[in-house]
Amino acid sequence: MQIDLNLLTLFTAVAETGNFRAAADRLGVTRSAVSQGVQRLEAALGQALFLRTTRSVRLTEAGERFLAQVSAPLAEIAGAIDAASGSAEEPRGLLRIAVTSIAERFLSGPLIASFSEAYPGVTLDVTVTDLEFDIVAAGFDAGVRLGEVIERDMIAVPLTGDQRQIAVATPSYLARHGTPEHPRDLVRHRCIGWRPQPDTAPYRWEFEKDGRAFDVSVEPQITTNDMLLMLRTALAGAGITFGMEETFQPYLERGELVSILDDWLPPFAGFFLYFPSRRTVTPKLRALIDHVRRHREGPKAGQPSLHPST
């Protein structure tokens, strides 16, 4: 059986976006071209790959199996083509990155801005998400996450050194309500918590002392999936919040926030840029890898601060 490989590209685009229109927009073709191409592929395979309704498109069991089988080979082919065609040229093309919302070093601005200036032929598409998923199956070239949650079959390039999560509040809040002396005291405080999505429980705050790790369920009065809202609410004196020290550092330095319970919050492995070990590294991804390595040493070379002054 001979199948036009372009149909596989149409199929994976629909599978990743869950929408014919979105797949068409990604590929730069018409919606009818995508729909007709998928129909041709299903006819050639002799089975339905998608369940279609007026509101949604989702994979059948056969479609899920087929996607799992073709995603990695297609990614390798695309990588090989990019590597071959770009070997004597400047890196170029679309580079899709999935980044966790707490990766301050990547999201603060300077790294992305300097990369765009250095490589004008590369279009960088950054999706900020805290959901865990297969970046290859979802069509991403790479991701940025904490090292402890990266799959073992990935190649990981350090983006930062060790990191810490800390608990912070305004001096005025602590003056009114007192300063917790032990993590268990947090259950008596107004806390501002985080959850990745509406149907998950709020993140349990993690602590460690004398080699013993434990967590505290603080039952936050305010919960959100937006770190910026957590920060702004804490700055307004609404309570104690918990997150990456790097995010809070400018406000700690200005005295707008105060860190608490520091003895229970040791450092851990930081953030990494990661990508599949089985995928050919394209010139555009190689450019980002090299840029991340240079940027990590940026302050030593006189590059601008990673944090805004206001």
Side-chain angles (χ1 to χ4, degrees):
M1 176 190 304
Q2 289 189 343
I3 295 178
D4 183 352
L5 292 182
N6 290 322
L7 300 182
L8 300 183
T9 301
L10 296 178
F11 163 72
T12 55
V14 175
E16 290 165 6
T17 62
N19 185 284
F20 281 96
R21 174 64 64 189
D25 290 343
R26 176 191 290 187
L27 298 173
V29 298
T30 64
R31 183 188 182 286
S32 61
V34 173
S35 179
Q36 292 170 15
V38 169
Q39 289 175 11
R40 287 167 53 201
L41 179 61
E42 290 177 322
L45 296 175
Q47 55 187 335
L49 300 175
F50 294 100
L51 294 174
R52 303 164 175 83
T53 70
T54 56
R55 295 187 176 181
S56 66
V57 177
R58 60 187 178 88
L59 288 166
T60 62
E61 290 187 10
E64 290 177 351
R65 290 194 301 269
F66 190 60
L67 178 65
Q69 292 170 335
V70 303
S71 291
L74 284 176
E76 292 185 8
I77 291 171
I81 291 173
D82 280 355
S85 63
S87 58
E89 302 177 3
E90 286 294 313
R92 61 183 64 254
L94 177 64
L95 188 62
R96 301 183 69 223
I97 313 294
V99 183
T100 177
S101 67
I102 57 174
E104 174 72 14
R105 185 68 59 92
F106 192 93
L107 297 175
S108 57
L111 187 151
I112 295 175
S114 56
F115 177 81
S116 296
E117 183 174 357
Y119 301 99
V122 178
T123 300
L124 194 61
D125 185 334
V126 179
T127 296
V128 180
T129 175
D130 293 298
L131 300 179
E132 296 185 16
F133 56 89
D134 184 342
I135 60 171
V136 176
F140 289 93
D141 298 281
V144 174
R145 296 187 70 82
L146 288 170
E148 62 189 28
V149 296
I150 295 175
E151 296 86 348
R152 296 191 177 208
D153 63 345
M154 296 285 172
I155 296 175
V157 177
L159 176 63
T160 69
D162 287 350
Q163 298 283 299
R164 285 178 72 225
Q165 285 192 300
I166 61 174
V168 300
T170 59
S172 62
Y173 173 85
L174 297 175
R176 294 194 310 272
H177 299 278
T179 301
E181 297 182 358
H182 189 282
R184 63 173 171 262
D185 297 336
L186 290 167
V187 298
R188 296 190 293 272
H189 279 265
R190 294 161 56 191
C191 294
I192 305 161
W194 175 87
R195 72 170 91 222
Q197 54 186 347
D199 58 351
T200 57
Y203 173 73
R204 296 174 67 92
W205 297 7
E206 299 175 327
F207 299 90
E208 182 179 329
K209 189 69 176 289
D210 300 326
R212 185 177 70 90
F214 61 99
D215 56 48
V216 176
S217 179
V218 298
E219 298 185 4
Q221 183 179 14
I222 301 169
T223 305
T224 179
N225 68 337
D226 182 22
M227 189 65 210
L228 183 56
L229 179 58
M230 292 172 61
L231 173 61
R232 288 173 171 168
T233 308
L235 287 168
I240 300 170
T241 196
F242 193 83
M244 302 305 297
E245 183 176 29
E246 195 170 54
T247 299
F248 300 131
Q249 193 61 45
Y251 308 95
L252 296 170
E253 292 173 355
R254 295 196 294 266
E256 297 174 45
L257 293 174
V258 176
S259 64
I260 59 175
L261 303 170
D262 285 335
D263 290 344
W264 279 269
L265 295 164
F268 52 84
F271 293 97
F272 292 76
L273 174 72
Y274 70 98
F275 51 94
S277 59
R278 62 182 181 272
R279 173 177 288 187
T280 302
V281 177
T282 62
K284 59 189 178 184
L285 180 54
R286 171 56 60 192
L288 181 62
I289 293 168
D290 292 343
H291 192 77
V292 163
R293 286 173 170 154
R294 290 192 298 269
H295 196 272
R296 190 181 174 194
E297 301 177 356
K300 298 177 184 178
Q303 290 187 5
S305 168
L306 295 174
H307 298 286
S309 59
T310 58

